[in-house]
Amino acid sequence: MRKTLKRYRDRSPEERGAVARAGLLIVTLQAMLKILPFQKVMDGVYRVARPPASGGSGHGEHSQFDRDLAVWAVEAAGRRLLSRNPCLPKALAVLILFRRAGEPAELRLGVAREADGPVEAHAWIESSGQVVIGGDVPLETYTRLPDLDQKFPGPRKDDP
């Protein structure tokens, strides 16, 4: 625990803030996933994931959204806060952070099953054609489910 706190204190204020935001999102999402029906969680996620009406990012008017920092912060917070099945809360946290900043992000869900084995599910986020989180497993082994983004469209890079 001391080692973790020391590493946290050694980070820049920007990095500590990003980890704190990511941790709060992950804890909230994990709790929601445990107590609410999936559809209610997704309704809330996509409502919160809308960019602010001012058109700027939620991180200050003059700051540039750092995609790598957001993903790193979610991964770092997720390692410490999630013990089991971390892919969905982490993917949803990245989805919220990206879309709040006006960045494109699509939630992808997939299922896989080996012969006579249990069904496994996985969640990941794609942005501009690249997997930004959740690509730590062989995604080609998962059958992708229909996109939820049809119901909850978000900002695209080519949107005005």
Side-chain angles (χ1 to χ4, degrees):
M1 179 69 132
R2 282 185 181 176
K3 190 176 180 181
T4 299
L5 289 174
K6 181 180 178 346
R7 282 196 308 240
Y8 180 78
R9 283 193 309 264
D10 290 345
R11 294 288 181 180
S12 71
E14 182 182 27
E15 290 170 328
R16 287 193 307 265
V19 170
R21 280 189 299 278
L24 181 60
L25 270 174
I26 286 171
V27 167
T28 302
L29 289 163
Q30 185 74 346
M32 289 173 63
L33 288 164
K34 285 183 180 184
I35 63 173
L36 296 174
F38 185 71
Q39 183 62 49
K40 293 282 188 196
V41 173
M42 296 311 298
D43 289 344
V45 164
Y46 281 102
R47 192 172 25 260
V48 170
R50 290 186 186 127
S54 65
S57 77
H59 308 290
E61 203 169 291
H62 300 290
S63 68
Q64 179 72 22
F65 179 70
D66 187 334
R67 295 164 53 102
D68 292 335
L69 177 61
V71 172
W72 170 82
V74 168
E75 290 283 14
R79 276 192 301 275
R80 283 153 186 87
L81 298 172
L82 299 170
S83 57
R84 292 180 14 165
N85 305 322
C87 63
L88 186 56
K90 289 188 331 186
L92 294 176
V94 168
L95 179 81
I96 290 169
L97 292 171
F98 272 49
R99 286 196 175 180
R100 295 266 320 148
E103 293 286 327
E106 292 84 32
L107 174 66
R108 304 294 186 222
L109 301 173
V111 293
R113 182 177 185 182
E114 292 190 26
D116 295 329
V119 174
E120 292 186 24
H122 187 59
W124 65 98
I125 296 292
E126 293 180 6
S127 179
S128 302
Q130 299 291 318
V131 175
V132 295
I133 195 164
D136 53 339
V137 299
L139 296 177
E140 65 277 359
T141 63
Y142 289 86
T143 301
R144 208 168 105 186
L145 299 175
D147 292 341
L148 295 174
D149 290 333
Q150 299 302 319
K151 181 175 180 184
F152 308 101
R156 305 278 186 238
K157 270 298 196 195
D158 55 345
D159 282 349

